[in-house]
Amino acid sequence: MTSPFTRTLRFKVRPESYGWLSAAAVEVNQVFNFCNEASLLAVTRTDLKRKWLTGFDLVNLTSGSARYFERIGADTIQRICVEYAQKRFAAKRRRLRWASVAVRVAPSVGFRSRPRT
């Protein structure tokens, strides 16, 4: 049974983690930019195979890409793709843009730590 309210936790980030978080934010930005470019190319095709990519389609396109990233895993990549598709569908736009360059991490996309094998 889910609770009817959202609990917000506030944590203090140690200065030693700033470098790791910045590098992870760059990787998240790369995944977001790929989703943006792939969905724009799919929508603006000139033949009859135009398609509005869903989160499921973007997850399939990014499958196997976790091995090329050091700090984010497949679960984070999947969440970025689904979040991107939801935000783009809600905005009814072919392409999403950020308001400023300083924003690097997609909102409400968390990093999950997982052991690397």
Side-chain angles (χ1 to χ4, degrees):
M1 182 175 187
T2 60
S3 61
F5 61 91
T6 302
R7 180 171 294 191
T8 303
L9 302 175
R10 297 176 68 182
F11 294 104
K12 186 174 184 179
V13 178
R14 293 183 180 173
E16 303 92 48
S17 302
Y18 291 166
W20 187 91
L21 285 173
S22 294
V26 169
E27 293 181 359
V28 168
N29 193 22
Q30 288 175 347
V31 174
F32 178 86
N33 289 339
F34 173 78
C35 291
N36 211 4
E37 183 180 349
S39 63
L40 181 65
L41 289 175
V43 169
T44 58
R45 288 182 67 152
T46 56
D47 56 356
L48 297 176
K49 294 185 179 181
R50 289 184 189 170
K51 185 174 183 183
W52 192 266
L53 294 180
T54 62
F56 181 78
D57 297 327
L58 290 171
V59 166
N60 284 338
L61 284 175
T62 57
S63 64
S65 63
R67 73 181 94 159
Y68 300 108
F69 294 111
E70 296 179 10
R71 290 166 182 83
I72 61 174
D75 52 346
T76 305
I77 293 171
Q78 290 173 1
R79 288 186 62 190
I80 294 166
C81 293
V82 170
E83 181 87 14
Y84 172 81
Q86 289 173 349
K87 298 295 182 186
R88 191 197 54 199
F89 182 76
K92 295 184 176 126
R93 300 183 62 96
R94 295 186 297 179
R95 183 174 177 267
L96 290 181
R97 291 180 293 219
W98 289 115
S100 72
V101 179
V103 178
R104 295 191 136 195
V105 181
S108 74
V109 174
F111 297 108
R112 292 184 183 178
S113 62
R114 62 176 175 84
R116 307 253 328 148
T117 58

